[in-house]
PDB file of all heavy atoms in Angstrom:
ATOM      1  N   GLU A   1      33.831 194.443 120.671  1.00 63.00           N
ATOM      2  CA  GLU A   1      34.552 194.753 121.896  1.00 63.00           C
ATOM      3  C   GLU A   1      34.334 196.191 122.355  1.00 63.00           C
ATOM      4  O   GLU A   1      34.379 196.487 123.550  1.00 63.00           O
ATOM      5  CB  GLU A   1      36.059 194.492 121.707  1.00 63.00           C
ATOM      6  CG  GLU A   1      36.451 193.016 121.666  1.00 63.00           C
ATOM      7  CD  GLU A   1      36.048 192.346 120.348  1.00 63.00           C
ATOM      8  OE1 GLU A   1      35.849 193.070 119.345  1.00 63.00           O
ATOM      9  OE2 GLU A   1      35.932 191.109 120.330  1.00 63.00           O
ATOM     10  N   ASN A   2      34.126 197.123 121.412  1.00 69.00           N
ATOM     11  CA  ASN A   2      33.952 198.506 121.847  1.00 69.00           C
ATOM     12  C   ASN A   2      32.505 198.979 121.815  1.00 69.00           C
ATOM     13  O   ASN A   2      32.215 200.115 122.167  1.00 69.00           O
ATOM     14  CB  ASN A   2      34.847 199.461 121.028  1.00 69.00           C
ATOM     15  CG  ASN A   2      34.467 199.485 119.549  1.00 69.00           C
ATOM     16  OD1 ASN A   2      33.297 199.610 119.185  1.00 69.00           O
ATOM     17  ND2 ASN A   2      35.463 199.384 118.683  1.00 69.00           N
ATOM     18  N   LEU A   3      31.577 198.100 121.419  1.00 75.00           N
ATOM     19  CA  LEU A   3      30.168 198.473 121.362  1.00 75.00           C
ATOM     20  C   LEU A   3      29.625 198.823 122.746  1.00 75.00           C
ATOM     21  O   LEU A   3      29.079 199.905 122.965  1.00 75.00           O
ATOM     22  CB  LEU A   3      29.350 197.332 120.751  1.00 75.00           C
ATOM     23  CG  LEU A   3      27.825 197.518 120.730  1.00 75.00           C
ATOM     24  CD1 LEU A   3      27.450 198.702 119.847  1.00 75.00           C
ATOM     25  CD2 LEU A   3      27.142 196.243 120.239  1.00 75.00           C
ATOM     26  N   LEU A   4      29.779 197.922 123.706  1.00 80.00           N
ATOM     27  CA  LEU A   4      29.244 198.152 125.043  1.00 80.00           C
ATOM     28  C   LEU A   4      29.906 199.318 125.762  1.00 80.00           C
ATOM     29  O   LEU A   4      29.226 200.112 126.413  1.00 80.00           O
ATOM     30  CB  LEU A   4      29.330 196.871 125.875  1.00 80.00           C
ATOM     31  CG  LEU A   4      28.340 195.766 125.503  1.00 80.00           C
ATOM     32  CD1 LEU A   4      28.527 194.559 126.409  1.00 80.00           C
ATOM     33  CD2 LEU A   4      26.902 196.262 125.588  1.00 80.00           C
ATOM     34  N   PRO A   5      31.235 199.480 125.672  1.00 80.00           N
ATOM     35  CA  PRO A   5      31.839 200.653 126.307  1.00 80.00           C
ATOM     36  C   PRO A   5      31.273 201.973 125.815  1.00 80.00           C
ATOM     37  O   PRO A   5      31.097 202.913 126.605  1.00 80.00           O
ATOM     38  CB  PRO A   5      33.326 200.517 125.959  1.00 80.00           C
ATOM     39  CG  PRO A   5      33.536 199.049 125.815  1.00 80.00           C
ATOM     40  CD  PRO A   5      32.267 198.540 125.200  1.00 80.00           C
ATOM     41  N   TYR A   6      30.954 202.068 124.520  1.00 84.00           N
ATOM     42  CA  TYR A   6      30.354 203.301 124.020  1.00 84.00           C
ATOM     43  C   TYR A   6      29.013 203.569 124.710  1.00 84.00           C
ATOM     44  O   TYR A   6      28.726 204.695 125.114  1.00 84.00           O
ATOM     45  CB  TYR A   6      30.145 203.224 122.501  1.00 84.00           C
ATOM     46  CG  TYR A   6      31.361 203.641 121.693  1.00 84.00           C
ATOM     47  CD1 TYR A   6      31.813 202.866 120.638  1.00 84.00           C
ATOM     48  CD2 TYR A   6      32.047 204.816 121.982  1.00 84.00           C
ATOM     49  CE1 TYR A   6      32.914 203.249 119.892  1.00 84.00           C
ATOM     50  CE2 TYR A   6      33.146 205.203 121.249  1.00 84.00           C
ATOM     51  CZ  TYR A   6      33.579 204.421 120.201  1.00 84.00           C
ATOM     52  OH  TYR A   6      34.671 204.795 119.459  1.00 84.00           O
ATOM     53  N   TYR A   7      28.190 202.538 124.816  1.00 89.00           N
ATOM     54  CA  TYR A   7      26.902 202.723 125.479  1.00 89.00           C
ATOM     55  C   TYR A   7      27.084 203.034 126.963  1.00 89.00           C
ATOM     56  O   TYR A   7      26.425 203.925 127.508  1.00 89.00           O
ATOM     57  CB  TYR A   7      26.036 201.477 125.303  1.00 89.00           C
ATOM     58  CG  TYR A   7      25.301 201.429 123.988  1.00 89.00           C
ATOM     59  CD1 TYR A   7      25.702 200.578 122.978  1.00 89.00           C
ATOM     60  CD2 TYR A   7      24.200 202.255 123.759  1.00 89.00           C
ATOM     61  CE1 TYR A   7      25.029 200.538 121.757  1.00 89.00           C
ATOM     62  CE2 TYR A   7      23.525 202.223 122.553  1.00 89.00           C
ATOM     63  CZ  TYR A   7      23.944 201.361 121.556  1.00 89.00           C
ATOM     64  OH  TYR A   7      23.274 201.342 120.356  1.00 89.00           O
ATOM     65  N   LYS A   8      27.986 202.314 127.626  1.00 87.00           N
ATOM     66  CA  LYS A   8      28.176 202.506 129.058  1.00 87.00           C
ATOM     67  C   LYS A   8      28.723 203.891 129.378  1.00 87.00           C
ATOM     68  O   LYS A   8      28.290 204.538 130.331  1.00 87.00           O
ATOM     69  CB  LYS A   8      29.131 201.438 129.604  1.00 87.00           C
ATOM     70  CG  LYS A   8      28.536 200.038 129.655  1.00 87.00           C
ATOM     71  CD  LYS A   8      29.561 199.044 130.193  1.00 87.00           C
ATOM     72  CE  LYS A   8      28.987 197.640 130.274  1.00 87.00           C
ATOM     73  NZ  LYS A   8      30.001 196.666 130.752  1.00 87.00           N
ATOM     74  N   ASN A   9      29.689 204.355 128.599  1.00 88.00           N
ATOM     75  CA  ASN A   9      30.366 205.603 128.916  1.00 88.00           C
ATOM     76  C   ASN A   9      29.694 206.818 128.274  1.00 88.00           C
ATOM     77  O   ASN A   9      29.540 207.860 128.907  1.00 88.00           O
ATOM     78  CB  ASN A   9      31.830 205.536 128.483  1.00 88.00           C
ATOM     79  CG  ASN A   9      32.588 204.467 129.230  1.00 88.00           C
ATOM     80  OD1 ASN A   9      32.311 204.186 130.390  1.00 88.00           O
ATOM     81  ND2 ASN A   9      33.554 203.840 128.575  1.00 88.00           N
ATOM     82  N   ASN A  10      29.303 206.693 127.005  1.00 90.00           N
ATOM     83  CA  ASN A  10      28.788 207.860 126.292  1.00 90.00           C
ATOM     84  C   ASN A  10      27.301 208.084 126.494  1.00 90.00           C
ATOM     85  O   ASN A  10      26.827 209.199 126.311  1.00 90.00           O
ATOM     86  CB  ASN A  10      29.081 207.734 124.792  1.00 90.00           C
ATOM     87  CG  ASN A  10      30.564 207.717 124.486  1.00 90.00           C
ATOM     88  OD1 ASN A  10      31.384 207.706 125.385  1.00 90.00           O
ATOM     89  ND2 ASN A  10      30.917 207.720 123.218  1.00 90.00           N
ATOM     90  N   LEU A  11      26.565 207.033 126.861  1.00 93.00           N
ATOM     91  CA  LEU A  11      25.132 207.180 127.047  1.00 93.00           C
ATOM     92  C   LEU A  11      24.736 207.031 128.513  1.00 93.00           C
ATOM     93  O   LEU A  11      24.088 207.913 129.084  1.00 93.00           O
ATOM     94  CB  LEU A  11      24.371 206.175 126.184  1.00 93.00           C
ATOM     95  CG  LEU A  11      22.854 206.364 126.131  1.00 93.00           C
ATOM     96  CD1 LEU A  11      22.480 207.759 125.647  1.00 93.00           C
ATOM     97  CD2 LEU A  11      22.220 205.300 125.234  1.00 93.00           C
ATOM     98  N   VAL A  12      25.137 205.924 129.138  1.00 93.00           N
ATOM     99  CA  VAL A  12      24.794 205.726 130.554  1.00 93.00           C
ATOM    100  C   VAL A  12      25.425 206.829 131.404  1.00 93.00           C
ATOM    101  O   VAL A  12      24.813 207.335 132.357  1.00 93.00           O
ATOM    102  CB  VAL A  12      25.239 204.337 131.033  1.00 93.00           C
ATOM    103  CG1 VAL A  12      24.999 204.186 132.539  1.00 93.00           C
ATOM    104  CG2 VAL A  12      24.502 203.248 130.269  1.00 93.00           C
ATOM    105  N   GLY A  13      26.647 207.242 131.040  1.00 94.00           N
ATOM    106  CA  GLY A  13      27.295 208.322 131.769  1.00 94.00           C
ATOM    107  C   GLY A  13      26.469 209.591 131.757  1.00 94.00           C
ATOM    108  O   GLY A  13      26.304 210.260 132.791  1.00 94.00           O
ATOM    109  N   VAL A  14      25.906 209.938 130.600  1.00 96.00           N
ATOM    110  CA  VAL A  14      25.068 211.133 130.501  1.00 96.00           C
ATOM    111  C   VAL A  14      23.790 210.960 131.313  1.00 96.00           C
ATOM    112  O   VAL A  14      23.322 211.890 131.974  1.00 96.00           O
ATOM    113  CB  VAL A  14      24.744 211.448 129.027  1.00 96.00           C
ATOM    114  CG1 VAL A  14      23.754 212.602 128.915  1.00 96.00           C
ATOM    115  CG2 VAL A  14      26.019 211.790 128.272  1.00 96.00           C
ATOM    116  N   LEU A  15      23.209 209.767 131.275  1.00 96.00           N
ATOM    117  CA  LEU A  15      22.003 209.498 132.052  1.00 96.00           C
ATOM    118  C   LEU A  15      22.245 209.752 133.535  1.00 96.00           C
ATOM    119  O   LEU A  15      21.420 210.373 134.222  1.00 96.00           O
ATOM    120  CB  LEU A  15      21.555 208.055 131.822  1.00 96.00           C
ATOM    121  CG  LEU A  15      20.372 207.575 132.660  1.00 96.00           C
ATOM    122  CD1 LEU A  15      19.127 208.394 132.373  1.00 96.00           C
ATOM    123  CD2 LEU A  15      20.108 206.081 132.411  1.00 96.00           C
ATOM    124  N   LYS A  16      23.383 209.293 134.047  1.00 96.00           N
ATOM    125  CA  LYS A  16      23.687 209.477 135.468  1.00 96.00           C
ATOM    126  C   LYS A  16      23.945 210.946 135.803  1.00 96.00           C
ATOM    127  O   LYS A  16      23.579 211.425 136.887  1.00 96.00           O
ATOM    128  CB  LYS A  16      24.886 208.614 135.861  1.00 96.00           C
ATOM    129  CG  LYS A  16      24.635 207.117 135.714  1.00 96.00           C
ATOM    130  CD  LYS A  16      23.422 206.676 136.532  1.00 96.00           C
ATOM    131  CE  LYS A  16      23.124 205.200 136.373  1.00 96.00           C
ATOM    132  NZ  LYS A  16      21.911 204.784 137.123  1.00 96.00           N
ATOM    133  N   VAL A  17      24.551 211.664 134.866  1.00 97.00           N
ATOM    134  CA  VAL A  17      24.747 213.101 135.075  1.00 97.00           C
ATOM    135  C   VAL A  17      23.399 213.810 135.135  1.00 97.00           C
ATOM    136  O   VAL A  17      23.159 214.666 135.998  1.00 97.00           O
ATOM    137  CB  VAL A  17      25.629 213.693 133.959  1.00 97.00           C
ATOM    138  CG1 VAL A  17      25.635 215.225 134.034  1.00 97.00           C
ATOM    139  CG2 VAL A  17      27.058 213.168 134.065  1.00 97.00           C
ATOM    140  N   VAL A  18      22.501 213.452 134.226  1.00 96.00           N
ATOM    141  CA  VAL A  18      21.167 214.064 134.197  1.00 96.00           C
ATOM    142  C   VAL A  18      20.421 213.793 135.496  1.00 96.00           C
ATOM    143  O   VAL A  18      19.769 214.692 136.052  1.00 96.00           O
ATOM    144  CB  VAL A  18      20.372 213.541 132.983  1.00 96.00           C
ATOM    145  CG1 VAL A  18      18.892 213.873 133.118  1.00 96.00           C
ATOM    146  CG2 VAL A  18      20.925 214.140 131.693  1.00 96.00           C
ATOM    147  N   GLU A  19      20.501 212.574 135.998  1.00 96.00           N
ATOM    148  CA  GLU A  19      19.846 212.248 137.260  1.00 96.00           C
ATOM    149  C   GLU A  19      20.383 213.115 138.395  1.00 96.00           C
ATOM    150  O   GLU A  19      19.622 213.588 139.253  1.00 96.00           O
ATOM    151  CB  GLU A  19      20.046 210.765 137.584  1.00 96.00           C
ATOM    152  CG  GLU A  19      19.264 209.835 136.668  1.00 96.00           C
ATOM    153  CD  GLU A  19      19.536 208.365 136.962  1.00 96.00           C
ATOM    154  OE1 GLU A  19      20.537 208.076 137.655  1.00 96.00           O
ATOM    155  OE2 GLU A  19      18.764 207.521 136.489  1.00 96.00           O
ATOM    156  N   ALA A  20      21.709 213.346 138.382  1.00 96.00           N
ATOM    157  CA  ALA A  20      22.311 214.181 139.424  1.00 96.00           C
ATOM    158  C   ALA A  20      21.889 215.641 139.273  1.00 96.00           C
ATOM    159  O   ALA A  20      21.638 216.327 140.272  1.00 96.00           O
ATOM    160  CB  ALA A  20      23.835 214.059 139.371  1.00 96.00           C
ATOM    161  N   LEU A  21      21.799 216.117 138.038  1.00 97.00           N
ATOM    162  CA  LEU A  21      21.345 217.484 137.809  1.00 97.00           C
ATOM    163  C   LEU A  21      19.959 217.695 138.409  1.00 97.00           C
ATOM    164  O   LEU A  21      19.692 218.707 139.085  1.00 97.00           O
ATOM    165  CB  LEU A  21      21.305 217.787 136.312  1.00 97.00           C
ATOM    166  CG  LEU A  21      22.635 217.873 135.557  1.00 97.00           C
ATOM    167  CD1 LEU A  21      22.377 218.038 134.062  1.00 97.00           C
ATOM    168  CD2 LEU A  21      23.496 219.008 136.062  1.00 97.00           C
ATOM    169  N   ASN A  22      19.082 216.752 138.170  1.00 97.00           N
ATOM    170  CA  ASN A  22      17.721 216.864 138.690  1.00 97.00           C
ATOM    171  C   ASN A  22      17.699 216.748 140.217  1.00 97.00           C
ATOM    172  O   ASN A  22      17.039 217.541 140.896  1.00 97.00           O
ATOM    173  CB  ASN A  22      16.843 215.782 138.073  1.00 97.00           C
ATOM    174  CG  ASN A  22      15.404 215.872 138.516  1.00 97.00           C
ATOM    175  OD1 ASN A  22      14.795 216.946 138.487  1.00 97.00           O
ATOM    176  ND2 ASN A  22      14.829 214.751 138.931  1.00 97.00           N
ATOM    177  N   LYS A  23      18.442 215.799 140.742  1.00 97.00           N
ATOM    178  CA  LYS A  23      18.449 215.568 142.190  1.00 97.00           C
ATOM    179  C   LYS A  23      18.947 216.787 142.951  1.00 97.00           C
ATOM    180  O   LYS A  23      18.380 217.164 143.985  1.00 97.00           O
ATOM    181  CB  LYS A  23      19.312 214.347 142.516  1.00 97.00           C
ATOM    182  CG  LYS A  23      19.400 214.022 144.000  1.00 97.00           C
ATOM    183  CD  LYS A  23      20.230 212.757 144.235  1.00 97.00           C
ATOM    184  CE  LYS A  23      20.325 212.427 145.718  1.00 97.00           C
ATOM    185  NZ  LYS A  23      21.116 211.182 145.948  1.00 97.00           N
ATOM    186  N   TYR A  24      20.006 217.408 142.439  1.00 97.00           N
ATOM    187  CA  TYR A  24      20.632 218.518 143.158  1.00 97.00           C
ATOM    188  C   TYR A  24      20.275 219.884 142.576  1.00 97.00           C
ATOM    189  O   TYR A  24      20.897 220.888 142.921  1.00 97.00           O
ATOM    190  CB  TYR A  24      22.155 218.317 143.188  1.00 97.00           C
ATOM    191  CG  TYR A  24      22.545 217.160 144.075  1.00 97.00           C
ATOM    192  CD1 TYR A  24      22.836 215.905 143.529  1.00 97.00           C
ATOM    193  CD2 TYR A  24      22.581 217.301 145.456  1.00 97.00           C
ATOM    194  CE1 TYR A  24      23.178 214.837 144.346  1.00 97.00           C
ATOM    195  CE2 TYR A  24      22.929 216.240 146.276  1.00 97.00           C
ATOM    196  CZ  TYR A  24      23.217 215.009 145.718  1.00 97.00           C
ATOM    197  OH  TYR A  24      23.544 213.948 146.529  1.00 97.00           O
ATOM    198  N   GLN A  25      19.261 219.909 141.706  1.00 97.00           N
ATOM    199  CA  GLN A  25      18.732 221.166 141.159  1.00 97.00           C
ATOM    200  C   GLN A  25      19.828 222.027 140.511  1.00 97.00           C
ATOM    201  O   GLN A  25      19.904 223.236 140.725  1.00 97.00           O
ATOM    202  CB  GLN A  25      18.008 221.945 142.240  1.00 97.00           C
ATOM    203  CG  GLN A  25      16.715 221.280 142.707  1.00 97.00           C
ATOM    204  CD  GLN A  25      15.685 221.191 141.566  1.00 97.00           C
ATOM    205  OE1 GLN A  25      15.140 222.191 141.129  1.00 97.00           O
ATOM    206  NE2 GLN A  25      15.450 219.972 141.078  1.00 97.00           N
ATOM    207  N   ILE A  26      20.671 221.365 139.733  1.00 97.00           N
ATOM    208  CA  ILE A  26      21.685 222.063 138.933  1.00 97.00           C
ATOM    209  C   ILE A  26      21.066 222.323 137.566  1.00 97.00           C
ATOM    210  O   ILE A  26      20.647 221.390 136.879  1.00 97.00           O
ATOM    211  CB  ILE A  26      22.968 221.216 138.804  1.00 97.00           C
ATOM    212  CG1 ILE A  26      23.526 220.893 140.188  1.00 97.00           C
ATOM    213  CG2 ILE A  26      24.005 221.947 137.954  1.00 97.00           C
ATOM    214  CD1 ILE A  26      24.610 219.834 140.183  1.00 97.00           C
ATOM    215  N   LYS A  27      21.012 223.567 137.148  1.00 97.00           N
ATOM    216  CA  LYS A  27      20.174 223.944 136.004  1.00 97.00           C
ATOM    217  C   LYS A  27      20.940 224.237 134.714  1.00 97.00           C
ATOM    218  O   LYS A  27      20.330 224.696 133.743  1.00 97.00           O
ATOM    219  CB  LYS A  27      19.337 225.173 136.367  1.00 97.00           C
ATOM    220  CG  LYS A  27      18.301 224.904 137.453  1.00 97.00           C
ATOM    221  CD  LYS A  27      17.291 223.850 137.003  1.00 97.00           C
ATOM    222  CE  LYS A  27      16.191 223.641 138.022  1.00 97.00           C
ATOM    223  NZ  LYS A  27      15.205 222.625 137.571  1.00 97.00           N
ATOM    224  N   ASN A  28      22.257 223.975 134.685  1.00 98.00           N
ATOM    225  CA  ASN A  28      23.029 224.335 133.496  1.00 98.00           C
ATOM    226  C   ASN A  28      24.036 223.246 133.151  1.00 98.00           C
ATOM    227  O   ASN A  28      24.836 222.849 134.006  1.00 98.00           O
ATOM    228  CB  ASN A  28      23.781 225.652 133.730  1.00 98.00           C
ATOM    229  CG  ASN A  28      22.862 226.785 134.145  1.00 98.00           C
ATOM    230  OD1 ASN A  28      22.138 227.340 133.330  1.00 98.00           O
ATOM    231  ND2 ASN A  28      22.874 227.116 135.443  1.00 98.00           N
ATOM    232  N   ILE A  29      24.010 222.783 131.893  1.00 98.00           N
ATOM    233  CA  ILE A  29      24.987 221.802 131.435  1.00 98.00           C
ATOM    234  C   ILE A  29      25.405 222.103 130.002  1.00 98.00           C
ATOM    235  O   ILE A  29      24.574 222.393 129.141  1.00 98.00           O
ATOM    236  CB  ILE A  29      24.454 220.356 131.542  1.00 98.00           C
ATOM    237  CG1 ILE A  29      25.533 219.361 131.060  1.00 98.00           C
ATOM    238  CG2 ILE A  29      23.148 220.167 130.790  1.00 98.00           C
ATOM    239  CD1 ILE A  29      25.208 217.903 131.355  1.00 98.00           C
TER     240      ILE A  29
END
């Protein structure tokens, strides 16, 4: 039950943040 939420929130969430960093040229995290 908690396997997918970990991937969705802890991994996919970071992926989407990284995409936004690149798109908007934010250079620090």
